Amino acid sequence: MASVSSIEELIDSLRQLPGIGPKAAQRMAYQLLTSDKETASRLGNALLNAVKNVKRCPRCNNLTDKDVCKYCSSIHRDDSLLCVVETVADMMVIEQSLSWNGRYFILMGRLSPLNGIGPNELELGHLIDRASEPEVKEVVIATSFTAEGEATALAITELLAKHTPHVKVTRIAKGIPAGAELEYTDVNTVAQAMLNRRIRENN
Amino acid sequence: MASVSSIEELIDSLRQLPGIGPKAAQRMAYQLLTSDKETASRLGNALLNAVKNVKRCPRCNNLTDKDVCKYCSSIHRDDSLLCVVETVADMMVIEQSLSWNGRYFILMGRLSPLNGIGPNELELGHLIDRASEPEVKEVVIATSFTAEGEATALAITELLAKHTPHVKVTRIAKGIPAGAELEYTDVNTVAQAMLNRRIRENN
Ligand SMILES: [Zn+2]
Ligand SMILES: [Zn+2]
């Protein structure tokens, strides 16, 4: 900190945030130091506290500042259901959809040979251990519907069939997004939705 | 910090940043805690250091962690020229344009009666003191070309004519932006540029 001023160091640090360019970093720094010093202090302390306290949940890989995360420790969730996702953000989207009351397992990525992420880089051994726990009856694979996400889903399906043959393995549905008009949906999605059509129940 | 987790507090704090919505704050927090803990620590320390060290330059209102800012203390700038801007960001744009080697004065806003910013809310008394220093020969008013910026420029012009009648008061030029095609420039700007036309010098 001999030659770089506190302001320049702040602008440089803000630029490291995902999605923040040089102009936005400068604007943020000036606003924080001009009219928002309270926000600056609060965010500074929040960052240092989170770095110190937040770690991975040993059961699901979620971020937590407890010994076990709130989804793993909740007594109101169904122990027989395990949902496999790629990232913490994916898990949060499912939580926000209010469509899941089982447990989670976060792979921390997906198979991506071009980026050097093979089976050993994902938490697949950890997943098999988790799915082998006697209360687990169904594993829902909720990886994304990209080529890499699909390859990951396939690899997990094969692994679980081999190691936990008594567990039912399912995949979240691929289809036309809620609120979308068919006219503006890409044909590949429409074709998949047609193939995956289900019998309409009377309810 | 009893019931709110370190992660929730971090997401909440990131949301206070200008231009950051709830989704972006969540994504940033997860990325910082998943793969960028070094960035998180660095930014946390930068924020707390800046809040502690950065203050207003007593001569020009610029942000600085020195007693006097680098533009006021530089021995390579022309003391006879003083440029009046609304904000630190405006000053930085002029610096980046490499078109100015005089001193600056930052008003910290502009007249905005609807928002309760009258002459007393701006640093106008401070500006008159600064413009009264004997070495000042010209004050260039570089407030913006909005209604409020123009009203601010007018008020400053009248104040300086009264208190420092020996000082030349100028206004940066309004006209067609560099690189713009006339066809796509709004007619008001074209009309102003025509009114403000200048004799072409042979250089
Ligand atoms: Zn957990
Ligand atoms: Zn200064």
Side-chain angles (χ1 to χ4, degrees):
Chain A
M1 298 288 282
S3 64
V4 174
S5 78
S6 306
I7 306 164
E8 288 161 334
E9 167 63 12
L10 176 57
I11 293 172
D12 270 4
S13 302
L14 285 166
R15 282 187 61 175
Q16 308 303 312
L17 288 175
I20 304 296
K23 275 273 181 189
Q26 202 180 67
R27 210 177 317 121
M28 273 183 190
Y30 293 145
Q31 179 164 337
L32 287 168
L33 296 173
T34 307
S35 52
D36 263 345
K37 281 202 169 187
E38 205 178 321
T39 296
S41 297
R42 185 183 162 195
L43 177 56
N45 286 314
L47 284 160
L48 298 181
N49 277 330
V51 166
K52 199 177 73 186
N53 298 328
V54 174
K55 52 201 177 312
R56 291 282 171 183
C57 172
R59 284 185 64 69
C60 76
N61 291 323
N62 187 18
L63 298 169
T64 182
D65 51 8
K66 304 281 194 310
D67 287 337
V68 173
C69 87
K70 63 179 176 183
Y71 303 122
C72 290
S73 59
S74 164
I75 56 167
H76 302 293
R77 287 181 173 254
D78 188 338
D79 277 328
S80 71
L81 301 172
L82 186 64
C83 177
V84 180
V85 294
E86 296 174 5
T87 65
V88 176
D90 292 347
M91 185 198 70
M92 291 308 302
V93 171
I94 294 174
E95 273 302 299
Q96 286 158 11
S97 78
L98 304 175
S99 62
W100 183 248
N101 195 37
R103 308 290 178 180
Y104 289 100
F105 185 87
I106 300 169
L107 293 169
M108 302 179 60
R110 57 191 180 201
L111 292 177
S112 180
L114 292 177
N115 296 308
I117 302 177
N120 295 332
E121 276 67 48
L122 297 183
E123 295 264 307
L124 294 179
H126 188 180
L127 170 60
I128 291 166
D129 290 346
R130 181 70 182 83
S132 302
E133 293 182 18
E135 67 276 17
V136 177
K137 304 281 177 258
E138 178 179 353
V139 172
V140 183
I141 304 176
T143 57
S144 54
F145 285 99
T146 59
E148 294 176 347
E150 295 278 28
T152 307
L154 182 63
I156 292 170
T157 305
E158 288 172 352
L159 270 175
L160 294 177
K162 184 173 159 198
H163 291 92
T164 59
H166 60 287
V167 170
K168 181 162 80 170
V169 177
T170 58
R171 180 89 168 100
I172 55 165
K174 175 149 99 180
I176 292 162
E181 296 183 75
L182 260 70
E183 183 178 353
Y184 302 110
T185 305
D186 77 283
V187 288
N188 190 25
T189 299
V190 175
Q192 294 281 349
M194 189 58 79
L195 280 170
N196 292 324
R197 67 190 180 277
R198 300 179 54 186
I199 293 170
R200 182 75 179 274
E201 285 164 41
N202 288 318
N203 58 12
Chain B
M1 301 289 284
S3 64
V4 175
S5 79
S6 307
I7 305 164
E8 288 161 335
E9 166 64 11
L10 176 56
I11 293 172
D12 270 5
S13 302
L14 285 166
R15 282 187 61 175
Q16 308 304 312
L17 287 176
I20 304 296
K23 276 273 180 189
Q26 202 180 67
R27 210 176 319 121
M28 269 183 194
Y30 292 145
Q31 179 164 337
L32 287 169
L33 296 174
T34 308
S35 53
D36 262 347
K37 282 202 168 185
E38 204 177 322
T39 296
S41 297
R42 185 185 162 194
L43 176 57
N45 286 313
L47 284 159
L48 298 181
N49 277 330
V51 167
K52 200 177 72 184
N53 299 327
V54 173
K55 51 198 179 315
R56 292 282 173 182
C57 173
R59 285 184 64 69
C60 75
N61 291 322
N62 187 17
L63 297 169
T64 182
D65 52 7
K66 304 282 194 311
D67 288 336
V68 173
C69 86
K70 64 179 174 182
Y71 303 123
C72 290
S73 59
S74 164
I75 56 167
H76 301 293
R77 288 181 171 256
D78 188 338
D79 278 327
S80 71
L81 301 172
L82 187 63
C83 177
V84 179
V85 293
E86 295 173 5
T87 65
V88 176
D90 292 347
M91 184 197 71
M92 289 309 300
V93 171
I94 294 174
E95 274 302 299
Q96 285 157 13
S97 77
L98 303 177
S99 63
W100 183 247
N101 195 37
R103 307 290 179 181
Y104 289 100
F105 185 87
I106 301 169
L107 293 168
M108 299 178 63
R110 56 190 181 202
L111 292 177
S112 180
L114 292 177
N115 296 309
I117 302 178
N120 295 331
E121 276 65 47
L122 297 183
E123 295 264 306
L124 296 179
H126 188 179
L127 170 60
I128 291 167
D129 290 347
R130 180 70 181 83
S132 302
E133 292 182 19
E135 67 276 18
V136 178
K137 304 281 178 257
E138 177 178 353
V139 172
V140 182
I141 304 176
T143 57
S144 55
F145 285 99
T146 60
E148 294 177 347
E150 295 277 28
T152 307
L154 183 63
I156 291 171
T157 305
E158 289 172 351
L159 271 175
L160 293 177
K162 185 173 157 198
H163 291 93
T164 59
H166 60 286
V167 170
K168 180 162 81 170
V169 178
T170 59
R171 181 88 168 98
I172 54 165
K174 175 149 99 181
I176 292 162
E181 294 184 75
L182 259 69
E183 183 178 353
Y184 302 108
T185 304
D186 77 282
V187 290
N188 191 22
T189 299
V190 175
Q192 294 280 349
M194 189 58 78
L195 280 169
N196 292 323
R197 67 189 181 278
R198 299 179 54 186
I199 292 170
R200 184 76 181 274
E201 283 165 42
N202 288 318
N203 56 12

